[in-house]
Amino acid sequence: MKDIFKIKIWGARGSIAVPGKSTVKYGGNTPCVEVRCGKNTYILDAGSGLRELGKELLKRKEYNIKFLFSHFHWDHIQGFPFFLPVYNKKFKITLYGESKLSYSFEHLFSGQVMFPYFPVSLDEMDAQIKFIEITKNDVIKDGKITIKMGRLNHPNGCIGYRFEYNGKSFVYATDTEHFNCIDRSLLNLAKGCDVLIYDANYTEEEYSGEVGFPRTGWGHSTWQQGVKLAKAAKIKKLILFHHDQEHDDEMIDKIQADAQKEFPETYAAYEGMEIFL
């Protein structure tokens, strides 16, 4: 298990947490994905799924944790104040994210726990917390791990990540909207990867407004566009992610089945899903 490369889904829902009887199978928690490369633990986004992961990390006694943030919309950061390791002095927590306009990454991230939104500020948390600003052009080298980045199409900006480790690759591309043609930046990021997690928030009918109202410009995509990208990039496995809050288990079952007709190695993300590379 020394060179394990594992992805685990702790939250796959978009926009807002939706617990309840109709979301038991795929889960109601917002985005949080754990990536383990050997002894290194990375966490992609800090949605409400992070709370359970925090309890697991306390049991494991893994004290060096690194977060990579796609962006700072509420559903991707709301779990952080409830991540128990931040209240434990033994933990060293490194946060990677972008600055926005004239605001530093640390300033933006601190806003969610400032008065009057939360009673405990970052300064009052016990863990050793370090902020590192990144841009879409950066590459992180961590031993045998290489993490590349790319710009995604989402309001206020968003970053996708590509992990490369022991000859395998994984791409995290949530919160991105497709163009009329395949997004060249994302195509380059995802090319030939073993696993692609892709934003499939809407159906084509929802996106166009044939069902409900148009969602163009909202920064999300569809399973059909995910399949087009998967084929063009020649990926091996497509994971549909960021499920719409109105999509119950039955609807996600149907989306997965329809997608598998076009690209058999397509699976809808669910809480607890583990992928070994």
Side-chain angles (χ1 to χ4, degrees):
M1 299 294 282
K2 179 181 177 182
D3 287 327
I4 187 174
F5 190 177
K6 185 180 84 166
I7 303 154
K8 183 169 182 179
I9 308 294
W10 292 86
R13 187 68 54 171
S15 302
I16 189 170
V18 284
K21 295 179 180 179
S22 65
T23 59
V24 170
K25 182 175 180 179
Y26 294 96
N29 280 305
T30 57
C32 182
V33 177
E34 176 190 8
V35 182
R36 297 189 69 189
C37 299
K39 295 180 179 179
N40 296 276
T41 298
Y42 289 87
I43 300 173
L44 293 162
D45 286 331
S48 61
L50 179 64
R51 188 179 68 88
E52 286 296 323
L53 174 53
K55 292 191 287 186
E56 175 67 22
L57 292 173
L58 284 174
K59 293 177 185 177
R60 289 189 211 157
K61 297 182 180 179
E62 292 184 21
Y63 297 123
N64 190 7
I65 307 298
K66 299 168 186 175
F67 281 84
L68 298 169
F69 288 93
S70 61
H71 64 309
F72 311 123
H73 287 165
W74 282 115
D75 51 329
H76 294 258
I77 62 171
Q78 62 197 171
F80 193 80
F82 305 95
F83 182 57
L84 291 179
V86 301
Y87 303 101
N88 188 314
K89 293 180 180 179
K90 294 180 180 180
F91 279 82
K92 294 181 180 180
I93 298 174
T94 304
L95 310 177
Y96 293 85
E98 287 187 288
S99 62
K100 303 284 184 180
L101 299 176
S102 60
Y103 298 102
S104 70
F105 168 35
E106 182 173 358
H107 176 83
L108 291 167
F109 194 80
S110 300
Q112 69 164 323
V113 291
M114 66 181 290
F115 174 84
Y117 306 115
F118 198 74
V120 182
S121 69
L122 283 179
D123 291 338
E124 294 172 301
M125 294 177 181
D126 297 316
Q128 301 172 55
I129 300 175
K130 179 181 180 181
F131 290 86
I132 297 180
E133 287 195 1
I134 55 174
T135 73
K136 65 180 178 63
N137 298 316
D138 288 335
V139 176
I140 297 172
K141 293 280 190 177
D142 188 0
K144 295 193 296 181
I145 307 163
T146 299
I147 304 172
K148 299 176 181 178
M149 303 167 202
R151 173 63 63 212
L152 302 179
N153 181 31
H154 193 66
N156 308 128
C158 189
I159 286 182
Y161 294 95
R162 179 185 178 112
F163 282 76
E164 297 177 351
Y165 181 66
N166 276 355
K168 300 289 185 178
S169 54
F170 154 63
V171 172
Y172 179 72
T174 187
D175 291 64
T176 193
E177 185 169 355
H178 56 277
F179 299 106
N180 290 331
C181 59
I182 291 176
D183 181 350
R184 182 62 56 180
S185 172
L186 183 50
L187 177 63
N188 289 336
L189 189 69
K191 191 169 293 181
C193 73
D194 293 281
V195 176
L196 168 65
I197 285 182
Y198 184 78
D199 183 326
N201 199 100
Y202 304 125
T203 64
E204 288 287 348
E205 293 77 15
E206 289 169 332
Y207 180 77
S208 67
E210 183 180 335
V211 173
F213 41 83
R215 275 81 162 184
T216 51
W218 288 23
H220 298 289
S221 192
T222 68
W223 69 260
Q224 290 94 334
Q225 295 296 326
V227 165
K228 287 181 182 179
L229 176 63
K231 290 179 177 179
K234 294 181 169 56
I235 71 150
K236 294 179 181 176
K237 184 175 293 186
L238 174 64
I239 307 297
L240 306 178
F241 193 74
H242 205 277
H243 308 309
D244 189 88
Q245 66 269 20
E246 298 301 327
H247 292 181
D248 60 16
D249 290 335
E250 184 177 352
M251 184 166 186
I252 297 174
D253 278 342
K254 184 179 186 307
I255 288 171
Q256 177 178 259
D258 289 343
Q260 287 176 343
K261 294 174 186 176
E262 303 295 329
F263 192 80
E265 284 296 304
T266 303
Y267 304 93
Y270 61 85
E271 288 177 30
M273 173 187 269
E274 293 183 333
I275 303 166
F276 291 85
L277 297 178

